[in-house]
Every structure is written in C-alpha cells, then in structure tokens.
Amino acid sequence: VHSKALACQTLIALIRRVFILSSSNPEVTALLTQPPIAALPIRRDARKLRTRQQLMQAALNLVGQGRGFTSLSLREVTREIGVVPASFYRHFKDMDDLGLALVEEGGVTLRRLLREARRSGFKPKDMLRDSVLVYKRYLEHNRLVFAFIVGERSGGSPVIRKAIRREEEHFVHEMAQDLRELGTVPASLSSQTLELICSLVVSTMLNAANDILDLPSDQKQGEQELVEHFVLQLRLIFLGARLWREP
C-alpha cells in the first residue's frame, strides 16, 4: 500500500512539473496540445472510404430494385444513405464516375480469382470446371454488381460501356497469356487466333451470367445442369481451338 501511495505521489509531482514547464515554454505547450500524429487523417480517411462504399452500395441497391443505372440521380443515391447531395462530389465527379468504380471493383476481383483458378495446377479438364465454379460462386456473392455490369454492357452510358469492354479486353489478354504459358492450347495458334478464342470464352461467360443469377437457390438439379451446360460450351470452344489450322 505504501509503495502504491508513493508511486501516485511521484506521478502527481511529475504531472505538476510538466504543466509548469509547458506554461513557461511555448514549444512544449505546442507539443503537448497537438493531436496524435496521423490519428485524425486516418479517421477521416476511414470515414471517407466508408461513405464512398456506401454510395456505391446504394446505387447497386437501387439497380437491384429494377432501376436502370442511367436513370439514377445522385440525389436518389445520397438520399439512400442519408447524406446531402453536395457530399457526393467529395467521392465522385458524377454518376458515370461512380459507375466506373463499380465496373473496376467487380472486374479486378473476378480477374484475380479466375487467374488463380487457372494457375492452381489442375489438369485442363478440371481447370475448366473449377473456373466455372469460381465464376458461379463470385456471381452468387456479388449479384448486384454483376446485375449492374450485365445491364450496362449494352446500356445507356457510353462511358460505362467502354469501361466494361476494357475489362473484357483485360480478361481476354490475361486468359490468352495464361493459356499460352500453361500449354493448354496448341503452340501453333497465332496470338490473334488465341485472343479470338478467349474472347469467345469471355462472351460465353457474360452471356451465362443472367442464367446463373436467375437460378433459384433451391433448385440443385437445375444448378447442376446449368454448370454442366456451361462447361460443355467452353469445352466445345477449346475443342475447336485444338482442331483449328491457321490459314
């Protein structure tokens, strides 16, 4: 008890000395009164990022209710999360800018997952099925993002359509590079032909998105048939690639 009391007295004396020192030294006063280094900016950055994500999710929620993205106004989006319209411009220039962020977020993550599936070491036959299952699971867990992408692929905003086409091109280039490195396609195929084959695969994937998203979760047989049909379509594309002869 005596040692605890002594420690308290020592601490009080130290605090008094600090206050006396700070009152006579402006530099010490400034040092003691300034906020923790980077603490406030980090909190502000976290809040800003959270608001940005909320705006993106609000737009997706409205699209999920059957609204076309180009019909949305920034006032509707901000009203969904309870912020004033002026705060929208701290995160996006306009609604097209928000749409571009959605395209990038969906495309980058899916490309990474599919690339991991292709490079997982499976045999080509298993790699194809595994890629289909990865794609299906991603769509199921990101329904609103892909409902937006599929809808805007031929939608009303030229800016967003161009961004989606650019993501498709990234898919094609990465797939062609991986298939060439893995030896999955004949070495005799030209780069132009290989990219054409991969573009057919990407188009097939995007065309299948609506079927995957519309399938009820309790229809296991229908789900299995859909997967098998999807895998068969891709196998036929790669079978044609193996039989193809450059002119």
Side-chain angles (χ1 to χ4, degrees):
V1 175
H2 177 71
S3 60
K4 289 183 178 179
L6 181 60
C8 289
Q9 291 174 1
T10 303
L11 179 60
I12 291 170
L14 179 61
I15 292 173
R16 285 175 178 169
R17 290 186 63 185
V18 168
F19 275 104
I20 292 171
L21 179 62
S22 65
S23 63
S24 60
N25 190 329
E27 293 182 0
V28 175
T29 302
L31 181 63
L32 291 173
T33 56
Q34 71 180 10
I37 297 174
L40 293 180
I42 288 175
R43 285 198 292 270
R44 281 197 295 269
D45 289 347
R47 285 197 299 271
K48 185 175 181 180
L49 180 59
R50 183 170 63 250
T51 303
R52 175 185 171 88
Q53 290 296 326
Q54 288 174 338
L55 288 168
M56 293 167 66
Q57 188 60 48
L60 290 177
N61 291 341
L62 291 169
V63 169
Q65 295 170 16
R67 296 287 304 280
F69 182 80
T70 52
S71 72
L72 301 181
S73 69
L74 67 87
R75 289 184 177 274
E76 289 179 282
V77 173
T78 53
R79 187 165 58 240
E80 282 287 303
I81 65 170
V83 298
V84 296
S87 67
F88 180 93
Y89 296 106
R90 297 173 192 159
H91 308 276
F92 304 104
K93 293 184 298 184
D94 50 30
M95 286 298 294
D96 274 350
D97 195 30
L98 187 151
L100 293 177
L102 290 172
V103 172
E104 182 179 11
E105 185 173 276
V108 169
T109 304
L110 180 58
R111 277 163 40 209
R112 177 180 58 78
L113 291 172
L114 289 175
R115 199 155 210 192
E116 289 173 358
R118 288 194 296 269
R119 296 181 173 188
S120 59
F122 289 111
K123 296 177 181 178
K125 178 181 176 181
D126 296 330
M127 180 181 67
L128 198 59
R129 180 177 297 278
D130 191 56
S131 296
V132 167
L133 293 175
V134 167
Y135 179 63
K136 176 178 171 294
R137 283 194 297 269
Y138 185 77
L139 259 63
E140 290 171 343
H141 287 91
N142 298 273
R143 288 177 174 273
L144 294 179
V145 173
F146 264 83
F148 159 76
I149 290 176
V150 170
E152 293 304 309
R153 192 182 178 208
S154 56
S157 170
V159 174
I160 296 177
R161 283 203 309 271
K162 183 178 180 180
I164 293 172
R165 284 198 298 270
R166 191 162 54 245
E167 281 299 319
E168 290 181 36
E169 290 171 0
H170 290 323
F171 271 106
V172 168
H173 294 326
E174 289 179 0
M175 186 183 301
Q177 180 182 359
D178 290 347
L179 295 181
R180 182 76 80 188
E181 291 178 0
L182 295 169
T184 309
V185 293
S188 59
L189 288 179
S190 67
S191 296
Q192 183 178 7
T193 300
L194 180 54
E195 293 214 350
L196 178 60
I197 292 165
C198 292
S199 69
L200 289 173
V201 173
V202 171
S203 295
T204 302
M205 291 169 59
L206 290 173
N207 291 336
N210 277 332
D211 293 335
I212 294 173
L213 295 175
D214 291 342
L215 187 68
S217 58
D218 59 344
Q219 292 190 9
K220 296 302 179 183
Q221 183 176 351
E223 178 182 345
Q224 183 63 30
E225 290 174 355
L226 177 63
V227 169
E228 293 301 326
H229 183 68
F230 193 1
V231 171
L232 180 59
Q233 285 181 307
L234 297 182
R235 282 181 181 166
L236 288 173
I237 292 174
F238 284 107
L239 176 61
R242 288 190 172 279
L243 298 176
W244 178 260
R245 295 293 180 269
E246 296 288 349

